[in-house]
Amino acid sequence: MKKYVCVVCGWEYDPAVGDPEHGIAPGTAFEDLPEDFLCPLCGVGKDQFEPVAE
């Protein structure tokens, strides 16, 4: 599963870790996040995230 980064603030979503603080379980792919998912740091939507280049 790919990591994704917020292009606005740089927060990185790692699917292996998830975002337990906000109810996202480890192992949740970015594509499987709810459509109303918001960056926990700056509040932008999923459309402001890009895959992390490996």
Side-chain angles (χ1 to χ4, degrees):
M1 287 187 280
K2 283 189 155 213
K3 295 179 183 178
Y4 281 74
V5 65
C6 176
V7 297
V8 175
C9 72
W11 182 80
E12 189 172 280
Y13 177 74
D14 181 349
V17 176
D19 187 14
E21 257 183 62
H22 298 98
I24 307 297
T28 303
F30 184 80
E31 295 80 6
D32 295 334
L33 292 173
E35 285 306 310
D36 62 353
F37 174 81
L38 300 175
C39 176
L41 286 187
C42 70
V44 298
K46 283 177 69 174
D47 61 330
Q48 296 296 311
F49 281 76
E50 292 182 349
V52 173
E54 295 182 12

